[in-house]
Amino acid sequence: NNRVMVIHDSDTKKVSGKYLKVSETKSNVLRKLDVGSFKDEKYNDEIIPYLEEIIEIIPVGKKLVIELKSRKEVIPWMKKAIDKCDKLDQLIFICFDWETIIKTKQTFPDNRCYWLCNDPNELEKRWEDVVKSGLEGVDLKHSIIDEKVMKTANELGLEVWTYTVNDPAEARRLINMGVTGITTDRPGWLRKNIH
């Protein structure tokens, strides 16, 4: 159906108990799955949302970070979904796949885009490419961030975001080094415990 679905995993097993590969399943089939019951009875009959449904509910003054899990082929369909909404300025994009994040930046040149990376060797090879491509920065696995990474990013004028940090001591370490943003599973709790 060429609809962009909002789901973290490449299949539906964890959230529905039924194995369907998202990229190979029609959206109307995916929409029939109950993806809430696994969490709690009170979430019975929750469905996988379309991208535009999520964008529509972004509160005024807030940003939505969209992690692209698909390859660059999804970008025209994503643009179509985004064009239905009037909230382009509230969107930020992140992606592990190099070609996909570059194509995303070309498609949405005024939006902030970050390359996700968890490999220090790959990062070392890509610094100059990140600058040349116009990306705002990198989004790195917290364990690969050290003083050398931060020094390079600062010298190149790039932001450093990090994922997934659920430990207050690690969050403090990263904040003290100058990371711009932290992804966590527990935002309220982490915020309270880092001070």
PDB file of all heavy atoms in Angstrom, residues 61-92:
ATOM      1  N   GLY A  61       5.631  23.533  19.389  1.00  0.00           N
ATOM      2  CA  GLY A  61       6.890  23.831  20.059  1.00  0.00           C
ATOM      3  C   GLY A  61       7.767  22.624  20.334  1.00  0.00           C
ATOM      4  O   GLY A  61       8.854  22.762  20.885  1.00  0.00           O
ATOM      5  N   LYS A  62       7.319  21.434  19.957  1.00  0.00           N
ATOM      6  CA  LYS A  62       8.103  20.211  20.176  1.00  0.00           C
ATOM      7  C   LYS A  62       8.624  19.678  18.852  1.00  0.00           C
ATOM      8  O   LYS A  62       8.097  19.998  17.788  1.00  0.00           O
ATOM      9  CB  LYS A  62       7.257  19.134  20.865  1.00  0.00           C
ATOM     10  CG  LYS A  62       6.738  19.538  22.221  1.00  0.00           C
ATOM     11  CD  LYS A  62       7.859  19.687  23.210  1.00  0.00           C
ATOM     12  CE  LYS A  62       7.318  20.043  24.586  1.00  0.00           C
ATOM     13  NZ  LYS A  62       8.350  20.281  25.560  1.00  0.00           N
ATOM     14  N   LYS A  63       9.650  18.841  18.927  1.00  0.00           N
ATOM     15  CA  LYS A  63      10.233  18.213  17.737  1.00  0.00           C
ATOM     16  C   LYS A  63       9.976  16.718  17.784  1.00  0.00           C
ATOM     17  O   LYS A  63       9.841  16.131  18.862  1.00  0.00           O
ATOM     18  CB  LYS A  63      11.751  18.445  17.699  1.00  0.00           C
ATOM     19  CG  LYS A  63      12.168  19.899  17.663  1.00  0.00           C
ATOM     20  CD  LYS A  63      12.008  20.493  16.304  1.00  0.00           C
ATOM     21  CE  LYS A  63      12.597  21.894  16.256  1.00  0.00           C
ATOM     22  NZ  LYS A  63      12.345  22.551  14.993  1.00  0.00           N
ATOM     23  N   LEU A  64       9.927  16.099  16.628  1.00  0.00           N
ATOM     24  CA  LEU A  64       9.834  14.651  16.498  1.00  0.00           C
ATOM     25  C   LEU A  64      11.087  14.167  15.779  1.00  0.00           C
ATOM     26  O   LEU A  64      11.410  14.652  14.693  1.00  0.00           O
ATOM     27  CB  LEU A  64       8.596  14.242  15.692  1.00  0.00           C
ATOM     28  CG  LEU A  64       8.471  12.748  15.380  1.00  0.00           C
ATOM     29  CD1 LEU A  64       8.218  11.947  16.662  1.00  0.00           C
ATOM     30  CD2 LEU A  64       7.367  12.496  14.360  1.00  0.00           C
ATOM     31  N   VAL A  65      11.793  13.232  16.412  1.00  0.00           N
ATOM     32  CA  VAL A  65      12.969  12.641  15.787  1.00  0.00           C
ATOM     33  C   VAL A  65      12.508  11.358  15.090  1.00  0.00           C
ATOM     34  O   VAL A  65      11.992  10.442  15.737  1.00  0.00           O
ATOM     35  CB  VAL A  65      14.068  12.326  16.823  1.00  0.00           C
ATOM     36  CG1 VAL A  65      15.256  11.656  16.141  1.00  0.00           C
ATOM     37  CG2 VAL A  65      14.506  13.597  17.544  1.00  0.00           C
ATOM     38  N   ILE A  66      12.679  11.313  13.791  1.00  0.00           N
ATOM     39  CA  ILE A  66      12.284  10.154  12.995  1.00  0.00           C
ATOM     40  C   ILE A  66      13.531   9.351  12.654  1.00  0.00           C
ATOM     41  O   ILE A  66      14.433   9.858  11.975  1.00  0.00           O
ATOM     42  CB  ILE A  66      11.578  10.588  11.695  1.00  0.00           C
ATOM     43  CG1 ILE A  66      10.290  11.354  12.018  1.00  0.00           C
ATOM     44  CG2 ILE A  66      11.292   9.374  10.806  1.00  0.00           C
ATOM     45  CD1 ILE A  66       9.617  11.957  10.800  1.00  0.00           C
ATOM     46  N   GLU A  67      13.579   8.109  13.155  1.00  0.00           N
ATOM     47  CA  GLU A  67      14.683   7.225  12.774  1.00  0.00           C
ATOM     48  C   GLU A  67      14.227   6.387  11.589  1.00  0.00           C
ATOM     49  O   GLU A  67      13.277   5.621  11.692  1.00  0.00           O
ATOM     50  CB  GLU A  67      15.107   6.300  13.910  1.00  0.00           C
ATOM     51  CG  GLU A  67      16.248   5.397  13.477  1.00  0.00           C
ATOM     52  CD  GLU A  67      16.732   4.422  14.533  1.00  0.00           C
ATOM     53  OE1 GLU A  67      16.267   4.488  15.688  1.00  0.00           O
ATOM     54  OE2 GLU A  67      17.581   3.575  14.194  1.00  0.00           O
ATOM     55  N   LEU A  68      14.911   6.532  10.485  1.00  0.00           N
ATOM     56  CA  LEU A  68      14.583   5.745   9.308  1.00  0.00           C
ATOM     57  C   LEU A  68      15.203   4.370   9.450  1.00  0.00           C
ATOM     58  O   LEU A  68      16.424   4.241   9.560  1.00  0.00           O
ATOM     59  CB  LEU A  68      15.098   6.413   8.034  1.00  0.00           C
ATOM     60  CG  LEU A  68      14.300   7.630   7.576  1.00  0.00           C
ATOM     61  CD1 LEU A  68      14.759   8.875   8.294  1.00  0.00           C
ATOM     62  CD2 LEU A  68      14.442   7.794   6.096  1.00  0.00           C
ATOM     63  N   LYS A  69      14.372   3.341   9.448  1.00  0.00           N
ATOM     64  CA  LYS A  69      14.837   1.963   9.548  1.00  0.00           C
ATOM     65  C   LYS A  69      14.932   1.334   8.163  1.00  0.00           C
ATOM     66  O   LYS A  69      15.597   0.337   7.983  1.00  0.00           O
ATOM     67  CB  LYS A  69      13.866   1.144  10.412  1.00  0.00           C
ATOM     68  CG  LYS A  69      13.790   1.609  11.846  1.00  0.00           C
ATOM     69  CD  LYS A  69      15.006   1.184  12.587  1.00  0.00           C
ATOM     70  CE  LYS A  69      14.842   1.348  14.079  1.00  0.00           C
ATOM     71  NZ  LYS A  69      15.974   0.799  14.803  1.00  0.00           N
ATOM     72  N   SER A  70      14.215   1.917   7.206  1.00  0.00           N
ATOM     73  CA  SER A  70      14.218   1.408   5.834  1.00  0.00           C
ATOM     74  C   SER A  70      15.357   2.051   5.058  1.00  0.00           C
ATOM     75  O   SER A  70      16.010   2.973   5.540  1.00  0.00           O
ATOM     76  CB  SER A  70      12.892   1.754   5.146  1.00  0.00           C
ATOM     77  OG  SER A  70      11.806   1.285   5.900  1.00  0.00           O
ATOM     78  N   ARG A  71      15.550   1.600   3.854  1.00  0.00           N
ATOM     79  CA  ARG A  71      16.559   2.195   2.975  1.00  0.00           C
ATOM     80  C   ARG A  71      15.963   3.413   2.282  1.00  0.00           C
ATOM     81  O   ARG A  71      14.806   3.759   2.463  1.00  0.00           O
ATOM     82  CB  ARG A  71      17.040   1.163   1.941  1.00  0.00           C
ATOM     83  CG  ARG A  71      17.674  -0.053   2.553  1.00  0.00           C
ATOM     84  CD  ARG A  71      19.028   0.268   3.116  1.00  0.00           C
ATOM     85  NE  ARG A  71      19.684  -0.949   3.603  1.00  0.00           N
ATOM     86  CZ  ARG A  71      20.619  -0.951   4.507  1.00  0.00           C
ATOM     87  NH1 ARG A  71      21.023   0.167   5.045  1.00  0.00           N
ATOM     88  NH2 ARG A  71      21.171  -2.074   4.889  1.00  0.00           N
ATOM     89  N   LYS A  72      16.756   4.027   1.399  1.00  0.00           N
ATOM     90  CA  LYS A  72      16.343   5.284   0.766  1.00  0.00           C
ATOM     91  C   LYS A  72      15.072   5.164  -0.084  1.00  0.00           C
ATOM     92  O   LYS A  72      14.435   6.169  -0.385  1.00  0.00           O
ATOM     93  CB  LYS A  72      17.483   5.874  -0.037  1.00  0.00           C
ATOM     94  CG  LYS A  72      17.959   5.016  -1.183  1.00  0.00           C
ATOM     95  CD  LYS A  72      19.163   5.646  -1.859  1.00  0.00           C
ATOM     96  CE  LYS A  72      19.637   4.760  -2.987  1.00  0.00           C
ATOM     97  NZ  LYS A  72      20.805   5.302  -3.661  1.00  0.00           N
ATOM     98  N   GLU A  73      14.681   3.942  -0.432  1.00  0.00           N
ATOM     99  CA  GLU A  73      13.468   3.745  -1.238  1.00  0.00           C
ATOM    100  C   GLU A  73      12.218   4.263  -0.523  1.00  0.00           C
ATOM    101  O   GLU A  73      11.209   4.558  -1.145  1.00  0.00           O
ATOM    102  CB  GLU A  73      13.272   2.260  -1.572  1.00  0.00           C
ATOM    103  CG  GLU A  73      14.301   1.694  -2.521  1.00  0.00           C
ATOM    104  CD  GLU A  73      15.668   1.426  -1.897  1.00  0.00           C
ATOM    105  OE1 GLU A  73      15.757   1.202  -0.668  1.00  0.00           O
ATOM    106  OE2 GLU A  73      16.665   1.456  -2.641  1.00  0.00           O
ATOM    107  N   VAL A  74      12.271   4.374   0.804  1.00  0.00           N
ATOM    108  CA  VAL A  74      11.106   4.826   1.569  1.00  0.00           C
ATOM    109  C   VAL A  74      10.924   6.347   1.486  1.00  0.00           C
ATOM    110  O   VAL A  74       9.839   6.855   1.741  1.00  0.00           O
ATOM    111  CB  VAL A  74      11.204   4.379   3.050  1.00  0.00           C
ATOM    112  CG1 VAL A  74      12.189   5.245   3.832  1.00  0.00           C
ATOM    113  CG2 VAL A  74       9.843   4.397   3.725  1.00  0.00           C
ATOM    114  N   ILE A  75      11.956   7.068   1.098  1.00  0.00           N
ATOM    115  CA  ILE A  75      11.921   8.530   1.181  1.00  0.00           C
ATOM    116  C   ILE A  75      10.786   9.164   0.374  1.00  0.00           C
ATOM    117  O   ILE A  75      10.103  10.047   0.896  1.00  0.00           O
ATOM    118  CB  ILE A  75      13.301   9.137   0.846  1.00  0.00           C
ATOM    119  CG1 ILE A  75      14.298   8.707   1.935  1.00  0.00           C
ATOM    120  CG2 ILE A  75      13.238  10.661   0.745  1.00  0.00           C
ATOM    121  CD1 ILE A  75      15.737   9.058   1.671  1.00  0.00           C
ATOM    122  N   PRO A  76      10.512   8.756  -0.877  1.00  0.00           N
ATOM    123  CA  PRO A  76       9.375   9.379  -1.578  1.00  0.00           C
ATOM    124  C   PRO A  76       8.043   9.178  -0.848  1.00  0.00           C
ATOM    125  O   PRO A  76       7.205  10.087  -0.805  1.00  0.00           O
ATOM    126  CB  PRO A  76       9.362   8.672  -2.939  1.00  0.00           C
ATOM    127  CG  PRO A  76      10.753   8.160  -3.121  1.00  0.00           C
ATOM    128  CD  PRO A  76      11.253   7.830  -1.753  1.00  0.00           C
ATOM    129  N   TRP A  77       7.858   8.002  -0.244  1.00  0.00           N
ATOM    130  CA  TRP A  77       6.610   7.732   0.484  1.00  0.00           C
ATOM    131  C   TRP A  77       6.581   8.520   1.789  1.00  0.00           C
ATOM    132  O   TRP A  77       5.535   9.005   2.216  1.00  0.00           O
ATOM    133  CB  TRP A  77       6.456   6.239   0.728  1.00  0.00           C
ATOM    134  CG  TRP A  77       6.561   5.472  -0.553  1.00  0.00           C
ATOM    135  CD1 TRP A  77       7.570   4.654  -0.951  1.00  0.00           C
ATOM    136  CD2 TRP A  77       5.634   5.504  -1.647  1.00  0.00           C
ATOM    137  NE1 TRP A  77       7.334   4.180  -2.217  1.00  0.00           N
ATOM    138  CE2 TRP A  77       6.153   4.683  -2.671  1.00  0.00           C
ATOM    139  CE3 TRP A  77       4.420   6.154  -1.866  1.00  0.00           C
ATOM    140  CZ2 TRP A  77       5.502   4.498  -3.872  1.00  0.00           C
ATOM    141  CZ3 TRP A  77       3.762   5.968  -3.076  1.00  0.00           C
ATOM    142  CH2 TRP A  77       4.311   5.144  -4.062  1.00  0.00           C
ATOM    143  N   MET A  78       7.742   8.661   2.401  1.00  0.00           N
ATOM    144  CA  MET A  78       7.828   9.461   3.624  1.00  0.00           C
ATOM    145  C   MET A  78       7.526  10.926   3.310  1.00  0.00           C
ATOM    146  O   MET A  78       6.785  11.587   4.035  1.00  0.00           O
ATOM    147  CB  MET A  78       9.224   9.309   4.231  1.00  0.00           C
ATOM    148  CG  MET A  78       9.395  10.052   5.539  1.00  0.00           C
ATOM    149  SD  MET A  78      11.000   9.756   6.317  1.00  0.00           S
ATOM    150  CE  MET A  78      12.108  10.633   5.220  1.00  0.00           C
ATOM    151  N   LYS A  79       8.076  11.421   2.204  1.00  0.00           N
ATOM    152  CA  LYS A  79       7.815  12.813   1.808  1.00  0.00           C
ATOM    153  C   LYS A  79       6.330  13.029   1.552  1.00  0.00           C
ATOM    154  O   LYS A  79       5.759  14.051   1.953  1.00  0.00           O
ATOM    155  CB  LYS A  79       8.629  13.184   0.575  1.00  0.00           C
ATOM    156  CG  LYS A  79       8.477  14.646   0.181  1.00  0.00           C
ATOM    157  CD  LYS A  79       9.401  15.036  -0.935  1.00  0.00           C
ATOM    158  CE  LYS A  79       9.325  16.480  -1.338  1.00  0.00           C
ATOM    159  NZ  LYS A  79       8.173  17.255  -1.001  1.00  0.00           N
ATOM    160  N   LYS A  80       5.702  12.069   0.915  1.00  0.00           N
ATOM    161  CA  LYS A  80       4.261  12.163   0.645  1.00  0.00           C
ATOM    162  C   LYS A  80       3.477  12.257   1.961  1.00  0.00           C
ATOM    163  O   LYS A  80       2.552  13.072   2.088  1.00  0.00           O
ATOM    164  CB  LYS A  80       3.820  10.936  -0.164  1.00  0.00           C
ATOM    165  CG  LYS A  80       2.399  10.967  -0.638  1.00  0.00           C
ATOM    166  CD  LYS A  80       2.108   9.757  -1.509  1.00  0.00           C
ATOM    167  CE  LYS A  80       0.661   9.756  -1.953  1.00  0.00           C
ATOM    168  NZ  LYS A  80       0.331   8.574  -2.737  1.00  0.00           N
ATOM    169  N   ALA A  81       3.851  11.436   2.943  1.00  0.00           N
ATOM    170  CA  ALA A  81       3.174  11.463   4.249  1.00  0.00           C
ATOM    171  C   ALA A  81       3.424  12.798   4.954  1.00  0.00           C
ATOM    172  O   ALA A  81       2.501  13.400   5.516  1.00  0.00           O
ATOM    173  CB  ALA A  81       3.664  10.306   5.118  1.00  0.00           C
ATOM    174  N   ILE A  82       4.657  13.275   4.899  1.00  0.00           N
ATOM    175  CA  ILE A  82       5.014  14.527   5.569  1.00  0.00           C
ATOM    176  C   ILE A  82       4.327  15.714   4.908  1.00  0.00           C
ATOM    177  O   ILE A  82       3.875  16.643   5.579  1.00  0.00           O
ATOM    178  CB  ILE A  82       6.550  14.701   5.583  1.00  0.00           C
ATOM    179  CG1 ILE A  82       7.166  13.686   6.554  1.00  0.00           C
ATOM    180  CG2 ILE A  82       6.950  16.128   5.932  1.00  0.00           C
ATOM    181  CD1 ILE A  82       8.676  13.560   6.473  1.00  0.00           C
ATOM    182  N   ASP A  83       4.205  15.670   3.577  1.00  0.00           N
ATOM    183  CA  ASP A  83       3.567  16.765   2.843  1.00  0.00           C
ATOM    184  C   ASP A  83       2.094  16.925   3.211  1.00  0.00           C
ATOM    185  O   ASP A  83       1.517  18.003   3.029  1.00  0.00           O
ATOM    186  CB  ASP A  83       3.702  16.567   1.333  1.00  0.00           C
ATOM    187  CG  ASP A  83       5.116  16.854   0.830  1.00  0.00           C
ATOM    188  OD1 ASP A  83       5.922  17.409   1.598  1.00  0.00           O
ATOM    189  OD2 ASP A  83       5.409  16.484  -0.330  1.00  0.00           O
ATOM    190  N   LYS A  84       1.467  15.864   3.737  1.00  0.00           N
ATOM    191  CA  LYS A  84       0.061  15.944   4.156  1.00  0.00           C
ATOM    192  C   LYS A  84      -0.102  16.800   5.412  1.00  0.00           C
ATOM    193  O   LYS A  84      -1.194  17.247   5.719  1.00  0.00           O
ATOM    194  CB  LYS A  84      -0.492  14.545   4.460  1.00  0.00           C
ATOM    195  CG  LYS A  84      -0.670  13.665   3.266  1.00  0.00           C
ATOM    196  CD  LYS A  84      -1.214  12.314   3.710  1.00  0.00           C
ATOM    197  CE  LYS A  84      -1.316  11.356   2.537  1.00  0.00           C
ATOM    198  NZ  LYS A  84      -1.766  10.029   2.977  1.00  0.00           N
ATOM    199  N   CYS A  85       0.990  16.958   6.134  1.00  0.00           N
ATOM    200  CA  CYS A  85       0.959  17.679   7.401  1.00  0.00           C
ATOM    201  C   CYS A  85       1.658  19.025   7.231  1.00  0.00           C
ATOM    202  O   CYS A  85       2.419  19.215   6.304  1.00  0.00           O
ATOM    203  CB  CYS A  85       1.681  16.865   8.479  1.00  0.00           C
ATOM    204  SG  CYS A  85       1.193  15.129   8.522  1.00  0.00           S
ATOM    205  N   ASP A  86       1.417  19.930   8.130  1.00  0.00           N
ATOM    206  CA  ASP A  86       2.074  21.228   8.061  1.00  0.00           C
ATOM    207  C   ASP A  86       3.046  21.364   9.227  1.00  0.00           C
ATOM    208  O   ASP A  86       3.011  22.337   9.965  1.00  0.00           O
ATOM    209  CB  ASP A  86       1.028  22.344   8.090  1.00  0.00           C
ATOM    210  CG  ASP A  86       1.629  23.709   7.792  1.00  0.00           C
ATOM    211  OD1 ASP A  86       2.657  23.771   7.088  1.00  0.00           O
ATOM    212  OD2 ASP A  86       1.095  24.714   8.291  1.00  0.00           O
ATOM    213  N   LYS A  87       3.899  20.351   9.391  1.00  0.00           N
ATOM    214  CA  LYS A  87       4.788  20.341  10.549  1.00  0.00           C
ATOM    215  C   LYS A  87       6.222  19.962  10.176  1.00  0.00           C
ATOM    216  O   LYS A  87       6.963  19.480  11.014  1.00  0.00           O
ATOM    217  CB  LYS A  87       4.247  19.376  11.605  1.00  0.00           C
ATOM    218  CG  LYS A  87       2.891  19.793  12.159  1.00  0.00           C
ATOM    219  CD  LYS A  87       2.500  18.988  13.360  1.00  0.00           C
ATOM    220  CE  LYS A  87       1.196  19.509  13.939  1.00  0.00           C
ATOM    221  NZ  LYS A  87       0.903  18.892  15.223  1.00  0.00           N
ATOM    222  N   LEU A  88       6.603  20.212   8.931  1.00  0.00           N
ATOM    223  CA  LEU A  88       7.941  19.850   8.477  1.00  0.00           C
ATOM    224  C   LEU A  88       9.022  20.442   9.377  1.00  0.00           C
ATOM    225  O   LEU A  88      10.020  19.801   9.669  1.00  0.00           O
ATOM    226  CB  LEU A  88       8.155  20.285   7.029  1.00  0.00           C
ATOM    227  CG  LEU A  88       9.528  20.009   6.420  1.00  0.00           C
ATOM    228  CD1 LEU A  88       9.838  18.506   6.411  1.00  0.00           C
ATOM    229  CD2 LEU A  88       9.627  20.577   5.018  1.00  0.00           C
ATOM    230  N   ASP A  89       8.794  21.682   9.843  1.00  0.00           N
ATOM    231  CA  ASP A  89       9.808  22.342  10.668  1.00  0.00           C
ATOM    232  C   ASP A  89       9.964  21.711  12.049  1.00  0.00           C
ATOM    233  O   ASP A  89      10.880  22.055  12.796  1.00  0.00           O
ATOM    234  CB  ASP A  89       9.492  23.838  10.804  1.00  0.00           C
ATOM    235  CG  ASP A  89       8.156  24.099  11.474  1.00  0.00           C
ATOM    236  OD1 ASP A  89       7.258  23.241  11.416  1.00  0.00           O
ATOM    237  OD2 ASP A  89       8.007  25.181  12.067  1.00  0.00           O
ATOM    238  N   GLN A  90       9.104  20.756  12.401  1.00  0.00           N
ATOM    239  CA  GLN A  90       9.189  20.087  13.690  1.00  0.00           C
ATOM    240  C   GLN A  90       9.867  18.719  13.596  1.00  0.00           C
ATOM    241  O   GLN A  90       9.927  17.988  14.570  1.00  0.00           O
ATOM    242  CB  GLN A  90       7.790  19.922  14.295  1.00  0.00           C
ATOM    243  CG  GLN A  90       7.177  21.245  14.738  1.00  0.00           C
ATOM    244  CD  GLN A  90       5.783  21.056  15.311  1.00  0.00           C
ATOM    245  OE1 GLN A  90       4.796  21.233  14.619  1.00  0.00           O
ATOM    246  NE2 GLN A  90       5.723  20.670  16.573  1.00  0.00           N
ATOM    247  N   LEU A  91      10.393  18.377  12.418  1.00  0.00           N
ATOM    248  CA  LEU A  91      10.957  17.053  12.202  1.00  0.00           C
ATOM    249  C   LEU A  91      12.478  17.063  12.133  1.00  0.00           C
ATOM    250  O   LEU A  91      13.092  17.952  11.541  1.00  0.00           O
ATOM    251  CB  LEU A  91      10.400  16.453  10.905  1.00  0.00           C
ATOM    252  CG  LEU A  91       8.877  16.388  10.790  1.00  0.00           C
ATOM    253  CD1 LEU A  91       8.481  15.789   9.441  1.00  0.00           C
ATOM    254  CD2 LEU A  91       8.269  15.604  11.936  1.00  0.00           C
ATOM    255  N   ILE A  92      13.077  16.043  12.748  1.00  0.00           N
ATOM    256  CA  ILE A  92      14.516  15.792  12.722  1.00  0.00           C
ATOM    257  C   ILE A  92      14.687  14.349  12.269  1.00  0.00           C
ATOM    258  O   ILE A  92      13.875  13.488  12.631  1.00  0.00           O
ATOM    259  CB  ILE A  92      15.129  15.994  14.128  1.00  0.00           C
ATOM    260  CG1 ILE A  92      14.960  17.451  14.575  1.00  0.00           C
ATOM    261  CG2 ILE A  92      16.599  15.575  14.156  1.00  0.00           C
ATOM    262  CD1 ILE A  92      15.279  17.693  16.035  1.00  0.00           C
TER     263      ILE A  92
END
